[in-house]
Amino acid sequence: MAKVERDWYDRYMMPNYAPAAMIPVRGSGSRMWDQEGREYIDFGGGIAVNALGHAHPQLVAALTEQANRLWHTSNVLATEPALQLARRLVELTFADRVFFSNSGAEANEAALKLARRYAFDHHGEEKDRILAFENAFHGRTLFTVTAGGQANYRQGFGPLPGSIEHLPFNDTQALTEAFGDDVCAVIVEPVQGEGGVIAADQTFLEAIRRLCDQHNALMIIDEVQTGVGRVGTLYAYESFGVIPDILTTAKGLGGGFPVAATLSTAHVADSLKVGTHGSTWGGNPMGCAVASTVLDIVSEQGVLQGVLDRRSRIERSLRELGEKYGVFSDVRGLGLLMGCVLTEPWQGKARDLMQAAQDEGVFVLVAGASVLRIAPSLIISEEDIAEGLERLERAISNFISADNA
Ligand SMILES: *Cc1c(COP(=O)(O)O)cnc(C)c1O
């Protein structure tokens, strides 16, 4: 077999991504190794997906056991892992019913369709307006990218689905003014992840809940990135004490195996009658078996408390680094979804700093052009945290002297 080279990417793949020059081939816990055997500390967690790091032994066991048992039946047949996971999600959340799919975009697509269908069933087809927020990210299908608040992601893909409006995030007054009885749903992230790691204000989420109640609209909370322990509660809505009608969960749910879910109350779920929506792979036995194991581990109090402890520890160091080198003006976000906001001189250089970090052997993410995003495994060890932060400090130091030279 020919050795796989990075330039195959440019020769064989559609050019919609710009992956790093190195190709990782193996991961264990919070460490990753590339083709050359170079080791990296993983502070990105596969974009907040690898909630329990790489190759967690209990997840590998759940996956291989299911892989030896039953792979796929389609939704024509129910499977034990899917029913077990659905029951687990219902026990652990506000929700009564679950719809499975394979990605965050699909979970949101189902949520938005469900909200429209619910309004259609109960209030008539004029109630179709969806309120969403600037800089929000909900996925890349045409409906979800239209609900998202980044115009450049929609550009050139029209005609787009209609009756979707974008309002400034955390602006209760704008929301109150825009609301009306023709609104069928509001879709919101408790922490805008891709949009710069910006947490919703408590009063803003409460206002969404109140206005939805006043106008018979559904509150959809997009927990694709914040869910599964990422912010220190199993789902972020618990931290805020604001209960949605529909919740979507994906990234961390399978700990790296693709599985996603749309959760709702029984009354709302009733609008997805037989034949109204579907997915061939949604609820596939391997994804569901892994996800149940992820939930068992993460929902344990020790792990959730550990997220908050790691947050304080990492935030403290990041603030120190920020001050020492004058690079970060703020460290924001919740739990282990952290955004380091670059100071004025370094605006627009998040990608360069990410590259500098990679050169020093620590993998981080960006959230927009001026925010460095850190979303490690929820159970990353103190040793890996310390080593990762040391490498990050070297990267920042190099980055600054290179740029000043
Ligand atoms: C990543 C993300 C999505 C999209 O998930 P995919 O699995 O890439 O389709 C949707 N919403 C939020 C908040 C996300 O972070």
Side-chain angles (χ1 to χ4, degrees):
M1 250 194 328
K3 181 175 186 291
V4 178
E5 310 270 5
R6 169 62 178 76
D7 81 331
W8 290 14
Y9 183 87
D10 308 309
R11 283 160 64 191
Y12 303 120
M13 303 274 283
M14 292 204 187
N16 57 313
Y17 305 115
M22 66 90 168
I23 297 183
V25 291
R26 191 165 68 83
S28 173
S30 287
R31 307 224 174 195
M32 252 178 354
W33 291 266
D34 69 13
Q35 288 177 311
E36 272 62 58
R38 267 203 76 194
E39 178 231 80
Y40 301 83
I41 302 279
D42 188 1
F43 275 179
I47 316 191
V49 165
N50 302 321
L52 301 173
H54 297 273
H56 189 287
Q58 280 170 268
L59 302 191
V60 173
L63 178 61
T64 46
E65 196 191 310
Q66 188 57 44
N68 282 308
R69 204 181 277 270
L70 182 69
W71 279 33
H72 175 76
T73 62
S74 88
N75 43 51
V76 174
L77 299 166
T79 68
E80 288 184 355
L83 298 177
Q84 268 157 350
L85 177 59
R87 182 182 160 136
R88 201 83 183 96
L89 284 166
V90 166
E91 283 170 353
L92 291 167
T93 67
F94 75 97
D96 310 305
R97 300 286 187 269
V98 179
F99 170 80
F100 288 122
S101 55
N102 312 288
S103 68
E106 284 173 83
N108 284 328
E109 183 85 18
L112 294 165
K113 283 182 69 180
L114 173 57
R116 281 264 175 88
R117 187 62 192 233
Y118 175 86
F120 175 88
D121 288 349
H122 294 271
H123 307 286
E125 63 185 321
E126 272 73 58
K127 192 177 175 66
D128 65 4
R129 196 150 62 102
I130 292 167
L131 299 182
F133 299 102
E134 289 164 10
N135 282 319
F137 185 77
H138 300 298
R140 299 289 201 146
T141 65
L142 206 51
F143 201 170
T144 57
V145 86
T146 308
Q150 279 163 292
N152 55 326
Y153 288 178
R154 301 192 289 269
Q155 196 183 8
F157 294 114
L160 304 169
S163 209
I164 299 173
E165 209 172 305
H166 298 94
L167 304 169
F169 187 59
N170 277 337
D171 185 338
T172 300
Q173 197 186 334
L175 178 73
T176 310
E177 282 163 15
F179 232 105
D181 287 335
D182 58 347
V183 172
C184 70
V186 177
I187 183 166
V188 64
E189 293 160 275
V191 180
Q192 286 193 333
E194 306 302 308
V197 193
I198 304 169
D201 292 339
Q202 177 75 31
T203 51
F204 183 63
L205 285 188
E206 285 170 359
I208 294 176
R209 181 65 278 172
R210 190 173 60 247
L211 288 160
C212 282
D213 288 340
Q214 278 167 14
H215 295 278
N216 292 314
L218 299 180
M219 178 174 182
I220 304 171
I221 197 155
D222 177 349
E223 295 232 27
V224 167
Q225 188 154 170
T226 54
V228 195
R230 178 61 50 191
V231 307
T233 46
L234 188 62
Y235 285 97
Y237 78 86
E238 301 165 50
S239 307
F240 290 93
V242 173
I243 308 208
D245 300 291
I246 303 176
L247 177 150
T248 57
T249 177
K251 288 193 168 86
L253 185 61
F257 199 92
V259 54
T262 306
L263 279 53
S264 80
T265 58
H267 176 61
V268 170
D270 282 343
S271 282
L272 279 198
K273 294 180 187 54
V274 172
T276 49
H277 192 57
S279 160
T280 298
W281 280 292
N284 98 78
M286 289 181 285
C288 289
V290 175
S292 285
T293 311
V294 171
L295 285 178
D296 283 345
I297 297 170
V298 172
S299 62
E300 209 203 295
Q301 201 48 46
V303 171
L304 294 172
Q305 183 57 46
V307 168
L308 300 175
D309 296 342
R310 285 168 176 79
R311 162 67 187 225
S312 320
R313 190 261 180 265
I314 299 173
E315 179 178 337
R316 192 173 353 105
S317 294
L318 289 172
R319 285 191 186 279
E320 279 165 18
L321 281 184
E323 257 167 52
K324 184 168 168 191
Y325 296 94
V327 280
F328 304 145
S329 61
D330 193 12
V331 178
R332 65 191 181 190
L334 295 176
L336 288 176
L337 180 53
M338 287 176 276
C340 307
V341 185
L342 299 184
T343 49
E344 188 54 37
W346 309 106
Q347 289 286 305
K349 302 216 162 151
R351 281 195 83 88
D352 301 321
L353 185 50
M354 175 176 81
Q355 183 59 52
Q358 205 178 291
D359 294 342
E360 284 301 325
V362 56
F363 214 79
V364 296
L365 305 166
V366 300
S370 302
V371 176
L372 204 68
R373 179 171 32 159
I374 296 192
S377 157
L378 308 184
I379 56 168
I380 184 170
S381 70
E382 170 53 32
E383 194 194 342
D384 291 345
I385 291 173
E387 177 67 33
L389 287 168
E390 259 174 50
R391 294 180 190 184
L392 185 62
E393 171 157 12
R394 281 203 294 277
I396 291 171
S397 164
N398 292 345
F399 175 70
I400 285 177
S401 42
D403 209 88
N404 284 344

